[in-house]
Amino acid sequence: MSTKPEAPEKGKDFIRQIIDRDMESGAYHGRVHTRFPPEPNGYLHIGHAKSICLNFGLARDYHGKCNLRFDDTNPVKEDVEYVDSIREDVRWLGFDWDNNFYASDYFERLYFIAELFIKMGKAYVDHQSAEQIRENRGTLKEPGTESPYRDRTVEENLTLFRAMRAGEFADGECILRGKIDMAAPNVMLRDPALYRIKHATHHRTGDAWCIYPMYDFTHGLSDAIEGVTHSICTLEFENNRPLYDWCVDTLMAGLKQPELFGENADVYNELAGLPGFTDRPRQYEFARLNITGTVLSKRKLIQLVKEGHVLGWDDPRMPTISGFRRRGFTPESIRDFCDRIGVAKADSMVEYALLEACLREDLNKRAPRYMGIMDPVKLVIENYPEDQEDIFEIALNPEDESYGTRKVPFSRELWIERNDFMEEPPKKFFRLGPDREVRLRGAYYVTCTGYEKDANGKVTLIRATFDPASKGGWLEGGRKVKGTLHWVSARHALDAVVRNYGSLFTTDNPNAVEEGKTFIDYVDAHSLETLPGCKVEPAMAEVQAGANFQFERTGYYCADLRDHKPGEALIFNRTTTLRDTWAKIQKKSS
């Protein structure tokens, strides 16, 4: 493996600077080994995407390795569904792991490590209740109170811990705690829990265990077992780092006392030969992603799903990776976003608009164009023969000729957008109105000759004539028109349902709520607009589920991944809007 890193194109963040120094000093013998360690108790969100891009990106840039490890230490909250979704999300983002591990792979080893800690006098079984432990932990200004069970003998603790494993105690009856310092300034070091009893079925190990290691005990030891060199965490784990170090360092000290392993010499030989215990991992923290207009707390996301405020984890309004995928975001746009926001040590708030800007930039290059009418009104071209039909070749993507063209049929009766017509258009309205001429995209010039309304004053039909000489939507050397409208042949149109998604919340910061309210009070009941009567050109029938495209003059969309059924109306999800010049003009004039 080469020890010469590839410098990232846009400069080096503080983590890469740390790795550079390690490479120069010969630390880890030139190895760079990272891991992405999600807990399989929910779906990944955009904040996890930042961590994925960082951890896998470091392995890529330094010719190293990156593991996907599921820290599955809590059977009550974990599920195979989450495991499968996490794998899918990582691969969709464009990454693959060198190894796929589980913390549960190490349950037997972790148990023997816990016994080693007991033999070293570094752990004890505590029969205090959870409430008593919490009350005795102390405060930031006052030390904690030592447990009355803290000075049990090694033999007594081993007997009790083995009884815990054998299922002789009920949930919550006792726990294994690290024996560190009840007066430590860092509360995390005040005799933290290492093992707890949970009579629950694990998604991988079934009912083989009724005691499970705590996350903080498991995490650093798993890193060391796997030979991880740089353990990259988000900033909220900064206070956990001393406990991470204590667990790893205590084990390393125990490995210098092979006699403590007794009949478990095979466990000693296995652990002592792992690279993580000669080149111990180090934890580094970076700022987690905070983005306007949403929440990135897994607890809050679970609440949104369970209480029915959204239609599942992959609801396109959710900030989950599966939600972004179903909404039509591309992995390239999310990777670009993560690259642009960078890696810093201080928390900050990132505008959702930046994520949309990355998306538009990507889709503008890749998305084919089609015509779809969201709010259709019929346009009848009176001088166009009823039995005539034109087929126009229109570019699929004007940004890239390699996309080619699609065939778009044209007939006497068309669908156009209702808001493309005004009975009394203002000066800067360049669309259709009485006696006004516009260009139909790629087809002909048409001039409005009249319109019809119903009893409520709603326009139901627009009449026009066309200029045969303008075929293809252009007059060589002739008159020019400012307005260009998209359209769909009524004879050939396909029915479609369009879902326009907005922000799930009515505020830019749903994490900061008024007194007496919760973030749920800011859920926008109108964040999903469903348009059931849309008309789209026939080429849309060939669009594959999940494919990105642009409805011209309307926005970027994708074909829904899940809900469409054969024989029913097509379903399209709006990914993001286009910049609306007319809306800006209206806003300025109001």
Side-chain angles (χ1 to χ4, degrees), residues 92-94 325 328-336 357-370 395-404 543 546-551 555-558 575-576 578:
W92 178 77
L93 280 171
R325 179 165 61 247
F329 276 69
T330 63
E332 292 84 359
S333 66
I334 293 179
R335 293 200 304 267
D336 182 32
C358 295
L359 176 66
R360 287 192 186 98
E361 185 174 316
D362 185 46
L363 290 181
N364 185 55
K365 294 179 292 186
R366 72 167 65 239
R369 273 60 162 171
Y370 296 97
L396 275 167
N397 189 339
E399 300 291 326
D400 189 342
E401 292 182 359
S402 69
Y403 277 65
V543 174
N548 300 104
F549 62 89
Q550 181 192 121
F551 274 138
Y556 292 103
Y557 288 79
C558 76
T575 307
T576 188
L578 301 175

Side-chain angles (χ1 to χ4, degrees), residues 205-276:
T205 61
D207 297 319
W209 293 88
C210 62
I211 59 171
Y212 292 92
M214 301 298 290
Y215 176 87
D216 284 309
F217 176 73
T218 306
H219 191 76
L221 295 175
S222 297
D223 284 348
I225 289 170
E226 294 172 16
V228 168
T229 57
H230 301 80
S231 178
I232 314 300
C233 302
T234 45
L235 204 57
E236 66 264 31
F237 289 97
E238 185 176 24
N239 286 336
N240 302 57
R241 192 200 318 150
L243 180 53
Y244 179 105
D245 291 339
W246 181 84
C247 290
V248 175
D249 291 338
T250 300
L251 176 56
M252 292 178 70
L255 290 173
K256 295 177 181 178
Q257 306 174 64
E259 67 278 3
L260 293 177
F261 285 81
E263 70 275 13
N264 299 314
D266 56 332
V267 178
Y268 167 79
N269 292 329
E270 180 184 10
L271 293 174
L274 294 171

